[in-house]
Amino acid sequence: MIKSLAFAAALTALLSGSALAHDAPGGGEGAKVTLVYDHKLPNVPGKSMKGVLVEYAPGGFSEGHTHPASAFIYATVLEGAIRSQVNDGPVTVYSAGESFSEFPGDRHGVSENASKTKPAKLLAVFVVDTAERELTFPIKK
């Protein structure tokens, strides 16, 4: 738990001063998705680390989606609470300081603000093939 909080604090500090921020695709109603970090991993050729800040307005959500087949994702809630479902697992509510992972090929069916009255923020850190430009793909119905 302390490691997760320390990691979240360090990434929050990184986000507050980022000059790389720009909007990225992948939002839904009441969701703002911003690429805040993009850096090649010097000791893992062909891989990069990309940080994505997801900001949900009260009641906001992202459409069901997947990520690139190469993507491993560590997500931590920075503010508020996020309701999430990965694959056919249970719908789980994660509060500020809590985290979860997504593995290559996972489907993210539910990703939304658990509150109808307060905003929420989530930081998703991707380890992904450097050539990947799109990080989110809608689930085809």
Side-chain angles (χ1 to χ4, degrees):
M1 174 77 170
I2 292 186
K3 284 183 182 179
S4 292
L5 290 175
F7 182 72
L11 288 172
T12 300
L14 170 72
L15 294 176
S16 65
S18 177
L20 299 172
H22 62 280
D23 286 340
E29 188 174 319
K32 179 181 178 187
V33 179
T34 307
L35 180 67
V36 295
Y37 186 80
D38 187 352
H39 192 80
K40 291 180 182 178
L41 296 175
N43 59 336
V44 187
K47 296 288 185 181
S48 288
M49 182 182 301
K50 299 182 184 203
V52 175
L53 179 64
V54 181
E55 299 173 273
Y56 289 119
F61 65 92
S62 296
E63 298 292 338
H65 59 273
T66 61
H67 300 287
S70 67
F72 171 80
I73 303 152
Y74 171 82
T76 189
V77 179
L78 302 175
E79 177 184 325
I82 304 289
R83 184 176 294 111
S84 179
Q85 180 185 35
V86 177
N87 297 322
D88 294 324
V91 175
T92 304
V93 174
Y94 297 94
S95 297
E98 295 183 313
S99 60
F100 61 93
S101 297
E102 293 182 52
F103 295 92
D106 281 352
R107 295 167 32 100
H108 202 166
V110 175
S111 184
E112 61 191 14
N113 189 338
S115 173
K116 301 287 186 210
T117 60
K118 297 179 183 176
K121 291 182 185 178
L122 170 76
L123 176 68
V125 178
F126 289 68
V127 176
V128 64
D129 288 348
T130 299
E132 292 289 354
R133 296 290 172 238
E134 297 294 324
L135 297 178
T136 305
F137 306 101
I139 293 175
K140 295 182 176 150
K141 298 177 182 181

